[in-house]
């Protein structure tokens, strides 16, 4: 049974291992509330996961340590297990989905774990890890559905209450539910008036559906670039704890997650992975009743693959109205491009690419499509440009 004593004990065990990450105010991200960021993306291994993994492994018996540990992970738990096991001189095997970010795979190996890539999702890696555990007798370190792992994650709740005693709400990312279970239990035990909200990706809403239906749910599929919360089945223990201690849970779209990552980079100079940005996305897009409140968003991790990051930045620019495309059907005669460019410039936009297409068979021979790529300030400026082009007689397509 999880108790505050275990969470305080976990904090004692972790005091020389896990960083006490900063809690910083983020006024530029605030939308009608006072927003703070708990920066677990700056944690050892770049994620909160080291807390639960280390505490769990630290409590193993000598016999269990001798046999080694095995885990499954999309990447962050893998690094936590690898670091903890290596520091304690314990052999570790980590099963990861073959689509896990290369950076997370390589970092796990560099921390001393043996990595086994499994075709499919996190759940497939989990099933294979359970099979290996039964064959080897190694101790399975579950990434979320384990009381000691939850206790380790709960130490974040202690830090938040110490850093911001008068907070009103905490927003936490949710995959399997270990992080929010630990934080919610800790905060509700010490400050029951504080609201605890969870956020999942819209493509992987297993805990949201479980709470809505008040019944444990397993998804047929989970799809999101936020790989840290791409979980088809929540934990059984964590589901019960969420039902008991969590005040609400919502989802955010892929575009909203991308925009949140971009906002964190631009405004706070913080790099967050998809899972780490979902609380900020929920706050930015008014998913929760937090207006006028002091709110902490838990940025749970920063281990994002650079190839994905470049695509996320592009998507975030589009989502926030900073990057846009226009297609204009116009008469193919001299001076048309000059007129269009002048209108865009007068509205404050910047043309960064031009594509001329006169080959469409549905267009008159004397006409063409002009496709513009633009840098813009926001959606309002895009609408202004479109309105001015239409006023000048240009026909916008789409």
């Amino acid at each position: 049974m999880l108790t505050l004593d275990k969470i305080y004990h976990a904090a004692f065990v972790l005091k020389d291992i896990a960083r006490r990450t900063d809690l910083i105010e983020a006024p530029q991200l605030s939308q009608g509330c006072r927003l703070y960021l708990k920066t677990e993306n700056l944690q050892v291994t770049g994620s909160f996961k080291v807390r639960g993994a280390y505490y769990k492994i630290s409590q193993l018996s000598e016999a269990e340590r001798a046999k080694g540990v095995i885990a499954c992970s999309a990447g962050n738990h893998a690094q936590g297990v690898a670091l903890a096991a290596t520091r304690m001189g314990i052999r570790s095997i980590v099963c990861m989905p073959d689509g896990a970010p290369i950076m997370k795979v390589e970092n796990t190996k560099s921390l001393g774990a043996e990595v086994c890539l499994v075709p499919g999702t996190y759940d497939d890696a989990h099933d294979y890890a359970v099979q290996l555990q039964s064959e080897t007798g190694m101790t399975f370190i579950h990434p979320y559905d384990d009381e000691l792992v939850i206790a380790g994650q709960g130490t974040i709740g202690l830090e938040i209450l110490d850093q911001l005693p008068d907070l009103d709400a905490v927003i936490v990312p949710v995959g399997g539910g270990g992080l929010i279970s630990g934080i919610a239990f800790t905060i509700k035990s010490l400050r029951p008036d504080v609201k605890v909200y969870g956020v999942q990706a819209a493509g992987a809403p297993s805990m949201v559906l479980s709470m809505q239906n008040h019944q444990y749910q397993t998804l047929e599929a989970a799809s999101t670039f936020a790989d840290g919360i791409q979980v088809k089945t929540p934990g059984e223990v964590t589901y019960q704890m969420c039902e008991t201690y969590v005040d609400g849970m919502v989802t955010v779209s892929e575009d909203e997650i991308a925009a949140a990552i971009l906002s964190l980079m631009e405004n706070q100079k913080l790099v967050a992975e998809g899972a780490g940005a979902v609380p900020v996305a929920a706050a930015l897009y008014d998913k929760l009743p937090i207006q006028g409140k002091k709110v902490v968003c838990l940025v749970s991790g920063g281990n994002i693959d650079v190839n994905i990051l470049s695509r996320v930045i592009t998507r975030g620019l589009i989502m926030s109205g900073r990057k846009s495309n226009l297609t204009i059907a116009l008469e193919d005669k001299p001076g048309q491009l000059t007129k269009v460019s002048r209108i865009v410039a007068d509205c404050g936009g910047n043309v960064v690419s031009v594509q001329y297409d006169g080959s469409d068979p549905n267009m008159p021979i004397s006409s063409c499509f002009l496709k513009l790529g633009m840098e813009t300030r926001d959606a309002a400026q895009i609408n202004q440009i479109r309105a001015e082009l239409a006023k000048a007689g240009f026909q916008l397509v789409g």
Side-chain angles (χ1 to χ4, degrees):
M1 178 179 176
L2 186 62
T3 63
L4 274 178
D5 283 346
K6 284 182 181 173
I7 293 170
Y8 278 109
H9 182 250
F12 175 77
V13 170
L14 294 170
K15 63 183 176 66
D16 295 324
I17 301 298
R19 292 175 182 152
R20 180 186 170 92
T21 53
D22 289 336
L23 186 73
I24 60 175
E25 189 168 4
Q28 291 176 296
L29 299 180
S30 299
Q31 301 285 328
C33 67
R34 288 191 66 180
L35 192 69
Y36 297 79
L37 306 173
K38 178 61 170 168
T39 54
E40 284 293 295
N41 58 317
L42 304 180
Q43 185 56 262
V44 177
T45 74
S47 163
F48 75 96
K49 286 284 191 177
V50 68
R51 296 174 183 262
Y54 194 96
Y55 184 57
K56 169 67 177 180
I57 294 172
S58 74
Q59 301 305 295
L60 296 180
S61 67
E62 287 302 320
E64 289 171 325
R65 293 186 182 206
K67 290 183 178 180
V69 297
I70 191 165
C72 58
S73 171
N76 287 334
H77 180 62
Q79 294 173 74
V81 168
L83 181 146
T86 299
R87 290 227 182 157
M88 298 180 210
I90 300 170
R91 181 193 176 200
S92 62
I93 298 176
V94 179
C95 297
M96 303 176 71
D98 59 356
I102 294 172
M103 178 188 70
K104 292 184 178 181
V105 175
E106 294 305 313
N107 286 351
T108 302
K109 291 178 181 178
S110 69
L111 288 167
E114 302 169 35
V115 173
C116 178
L117 295 177
V118 181
T121 65
Y122 159 79
D123 298 85
D124 299 303
H126 169 270
D127 294 343
Y128 189 67
V130 170
Q131 177 187 328
L132 280 181
Q133 188 275 332
S134 65
E135 294 171 359
T136 62
M138 302 172 86
T139 298
F140 182 62
I141 310 298
H142 201 286
Y144 49 83
D145 211 26
D146 181 283
E147 180 185 290
L148 295 179
V149 171
I150 293 170
Q153 323 304 26
T155 60
I156 299 172
L158 295 178
E159 291 181 14
I160 290 172
L161 290 175
D162 186 52
Q163 292 167 316
L164 191 67
D166 60 341
L167 81 161
D168 297 303
V170 180
I171 309 176
V172 185
V174 180
L179 176 61
I180 196 169
S181 293
I183 290 175
F185 176 85
T186 303
I187 289 178
K188 291 294 186 178
S189 297
L190 296 170
R191 283 281 311 279
D193 57 306
V194 174
K195 300 294 186 183
V196 180
Y197 299 112
V199 188
Q200 291 200 293
S206 56
M207 190 69 84
V208 169
L209 293 177
S210 296
M211 291 185 67
Q212 285 177 352
N213 297 316
H214 301 291
Q215 186 176 353
Y216 187 69
Q217 303 278 312
T218 295
L219 304 175
E220 291 185 5
S223 177
T224 174
F225 79 88
D227 56 281
I229 53 174
Q230 188 179 6
V231 177
K232 290 193 290 187
T233 305
E236 294 183 33
V237 173
T238 59
Y239 162 65
Q240 294 297 333
M241 293 188 72
C242 285
E243 282 277 20
T244 304
Y245 299 107
V246 174
D247 294 289
M249 201 167 296
V250 297
T251 63
V252 289
S253 70
E254 300 293 278
D255 283 341
E256 289 166 342
I257 299 170
I261 291 173
L262 182 61
S263 293
L264 284 165
M265 290 180 64
E266 268 199 312
N267 297 307
Q268 297 301 140
K269 311 303 181 263
L270 291 174
V271 176
E273 60 188 274
V278 295
V280 175
L284 288 176
Y285 291 96
D286 298 320
K287 303 283 184 171
L288 294 164
I290 55 175
Q291 290 71 28
K293 307 293 185 182
K294 276 191 174 181
V295 181
V296 174
C297 286
L298 181 63
V299 184
S300 59
N303 294 319
I304 186 168
D305 186 272
V306 291
N307 294 313
I308 294 174
L309 183 59
S310 65
R311 282 176 269 168
V312 165
I313 291 172
T314 299
R315 184 74 68 88
L317 288 170
I318 293 170
M319 181 68 181
S320 60
R322 301 283 300 285
K323 187 174 184 179
S324 58
N325 299 300
L326 284 181
T327 300
I328 306 167
L330 47 72
E331 190 176 353
D332 190 5
K333 63 181 183 181
Q336 294 289 76
L337 178 57
T338 300
K339 291 179 182 178
V340 170
S341 298
R342 184 177 298 117
I343 290 171
V344 173
D346 288 345
C347 293
N350 182 38
V351 176
V352 294
S353 67
V354 177
Q355 183 181 353
Y356 169 92
D357 183 4
S359 62
D360 193 308
N362 296 317
M363 291 286 288
I365 291 176
S366 61
S367 298
C368 69
F369 282 126
L370 181 67
K371 300 178 181 179
L372 300 180
M374 301 184 300
E375 292 176 341
T376 45
R377 184 175 58 251
D378 51 28
Q381 188 179 41
I382 296 171
N383 291 334
Q384 180 192 6
I385 292 170
R386 293 177 68 90
E388 292 298 322
L389 288 169
K391 189 187 299 182
F394 292 105
Q395 180 186 347
L396 300 174
V397 179

